[in-house]
Amino acid sequence: MDMKSNNHQQQQQVLDGSDIVELVENEKVFDKFVEQKFQQLDQDEDGKLSVTELQPAVADIGAALGLPAQGTSPDSDHIYSEWKRDPIVILRMDGEDLSEFVHGPGYEIELVSVFSELSSCEDASLRDCIVKALQSLSVDHGMPPSNDPWVMSNIVEPIVDSCLDEEDKREKSASQEKFLEAFKRVVERVAQRLNEQPVIVAHSENTFDGSGVRRLLSNKFEFDKALNVALETIPKDRHGKVSKEYLRAVLDTVAPSATLPPIGAVTQMDNMIMEALKMVNGDDGNMVKEEEFKKTMAEILGSIMLQLEGNPISVSSNSVVHEPLTSAAFLPPTLNETEEPSN
């Protein structure tokens, strides 16, 4: 190996995930980093980070994860693209919204409705009812997602258990009055916990309205290109024919180009796809020429497009940032200096 190639090899960066492993180990320093970074980015001081406010953080996060700068490596640029693909808002849950909700005029009406739904579960204890009721609260109420295991084990379960005595925990068929009283006590304690230790939540929303499908179908070049790439991995017989049983697989491959979620990600979308496949007898397993296969795919996508245009599907997700994304080695000096030495 000559010197030139050896120097080139030394300049290459190997991304093996070791940096990320290191980054998730210092929760105390991370909390300080997140608090400071959030305040820096929240320019309008509304307690939320919009996509625009979040953009300056993307490069910092990439660097902290050991990724090359955006635009310097095609192997990592797709990760930056994924961050930008869906609208993401970073929410700082500090208990203020939750406290306003529990003391607001609509609180009791909403909780009475929740109780009426839970009262049909006669075998459920008061504790179980309260936990389920907490899960009905969303980030709009100021509640971190209770289905997150970290939120459940660090916030929901400890607070519910601390607010109920043993008899209350086991009580079944509790009255509406007792449920409302106990639930309010729990929610107030959750709000207090969030005020003491805020939780950062990445909230994303996406609405599938068929516009992405329409754009793809209206661009014949892009549509053929997407189908040809998908068909490269599909087996063909000696006559070049393709089985219709692969329609679902090809549709899943083409989905990103049509701004559709992958199959299995959204139940409503899966049902819509199933209906579209039935419409073209997609499960009959017949062998067809590639052109007919493409035509059938266009019919499926067209059907999905029309259904979405008439009845858009909205999907939201919430991810709690409850583990460190960085270590002292990647933090600003001011944060490093405040870290206490470990034993």
Side-chain angles (χ1 to χ4, degrees), residues 8-25:
H8 176 71
Q9 185 179 29
Q10 290 176 352
Q11 292 173 358
Q12 290 181 332
Q13 183 179 12
V14 178
L15 300 179
D16 59 2
S18 58
D19 285 337
I20 298 176
V21 172
E22 180 184 355
L23 300 179
V24 297
E25 293 178 348

Side-chain angles (χ1 to χ4, degrees), residues 119-180:
S119 61
S120 60
C121 304
E122 297 180 357
D123 293 334
S125 64
L126 178 60
R127 181 188 186 278
D128 292 338
C129 285
I130 290 177
V131 170
K132 290 180 180 178
L134 283 173
Q135 292 174 335
S136 72
L137 301 184
S138 68
V139 294
D140 291 332
H141 297 101
M143 179 70 192
S146 298
N147 59 349
D148 182 281
W150 185 89
V151 174
M152 180 62 71
S153 60
N154 288 273
I155 297 179
V156 173
E157 291 179 339
I159 290 178
V160 171
D161 289 338
S162 68
C163 290
L164 299 178
D165 58 34
E166 292 302 321
E167 184 177 346
D168 285 341
K169 292 177 189 177
R170 295 189 298 269
E171 182 178 348
K172 297 182 179 179
S173 302
S175 67
Q176 175 179 297
E177 182 179 0
K178 187 163 188 177
F179 168 80
L180 292 176

Side-chain angles (χ1 to χ4, degrees), residues 4-70:
K4 182 177 180 180
S5 61
N6 187 47
N7 286 341
H8 176 71
Q9 185 179 29
Q10 290 176 352
Q11 292 173 358
Q12 290 181 332
Q13 183 179 12
V14 178
L15 300 179
D16 59 2
S18 58
D19 285 337
I20 298 176
V21 172
E22 180 184 355
L23 300 179
V24 297
E25 293 178 348
N26 199 323
E27 185 169 1
K28 183 176 181 179
V29 176
F30 170 73
D31 287 342
K32 295 177 182 177
F33 172 68
V34 168
E35 184 73 22
Q36 184 184 68
K37 180 62 67 176
F38 194 101
Q39 293 175 0
Q40 290 174 351
L41 296 172
D42 188 16
Q43 297 178 1
D44 56 8
E45 299 181 350
D46 65 348
K48 301 178 182 180
L49 293 185
S50 65
V51 176
T52 301
E53 290 174 324
L54 185 60
Q55 285 176 349
V58 173
D60 290 346
I61 294 172
L65 293 177
L67 296 176
Q70 187 175 5

Side-chain angles (χ1 to χ4, degrees), residues 49-109:
L49 293 185
S50 65
V51 176
T52 301
E53 290 174 324
L54 185 60
Q55 285 176 349
V58 173
D60 290 346
I61 294 172
L65 293 177
L67 296 176
Q70 187 175 5
T72 63
S73 171
D75 293 329
S76 61
D77 280 352
H78 73 281
I79 298 176
Y80 291 99
S81 299
E82 287 299 311
W83 284 339
K84 293 181 178 181
R85 190 173 53 124
D86 294 329
I88 297 176
V89 177
I90 302 300
L91 306 175
R92 183 178 183 271
M93 305 257 145
D94 59 4
E96 183 176 344
D97 289 342
L98 190 59
S99 182
E100 288 182 2
F101 164 68
V102 76
H103 294 107
Y107 167 77
E108 188 164 328
I109 295 176

